[in-house]
Amino acid sequence: MTTLATTNETKLNPIFWVTMTDKFMSGWGGAANKTNKLIIACYTYQQAETIERNANKRSEMKYVNICSNKPRYGNNVKESWKTWEDMGEIWKK
């Protein structure tokens, strides 16, 4: 059983990130001439799997991955950072 202290500590430190290329947001606005990478911080592998499954259902999301190291990209990539809590219900089903 998870204790409250462990749960709060985990919530402060995501341990998985789901990364994906957002084809719709790439190449214009804040990502002009860049690739837009959506990066979602998750606190459990189950959350990461849920985000991955739902991202793969969306036609504008490509190259969906779960990683255990915090991702970093070069200057030609616009990083859009979100957390599990930021995501709507469509991402959490």
Side-chain angles (χ1 to χ4, degrees):
M1 181 173 185
T2 304
T3 65
L4 182 58
T6 303
T7 301
N8 287 339
E9 182 178 308
T10 302
K11 293 236 182 251
L12 296 174
N13 299 306
I15 55 174
F16 296 103
W17 290 266
V18 183
T19 65
M20 61 200 82
T21 298
D22 186 337
K23 297 300 280 183
F24 179 76
M25 297 301 290
S26 294
W28 66 281
N33 301 315
K34 295 182 179 186
T35 299
N36 188 5
K37 282 287 198 181
L38 177 58
I39 305 162
I40 303 168
C42 299
Y43 308 106
T44 67
Y45 192 73
Q46 182 179 6
Q47 288 177 345
E49 285 183 312
T50 300
I51 294 292
E52 177 193 37
R53 182 179 62 250
N54 288 307
N56 280 318
K57 294 177 185 177
R58 302 178 66 92
S59 63
E60 76 275 17
M61 298 303 176
K62 303 291 182 202
Y63 313 113
V64 181
N65 296 291
I66 297 174
C67 46
S68 57
N69 294 319
K70 190 174 183 178
R72 291 287 181 218
Y73 298 96
N75 292 335
N76 63 336
V77 174
K78 165 75 170 148
E79 298 175 4
S80 299
W81 292 85
K82 302 286 182 186
T83 64
W84 168 261
E85 290 86 7
D86 295 331
M87 305 310 289
E89 285 304 310
I90 194 168
W91 290 92
K92 297 179 180 182
K93 293 181 187 181

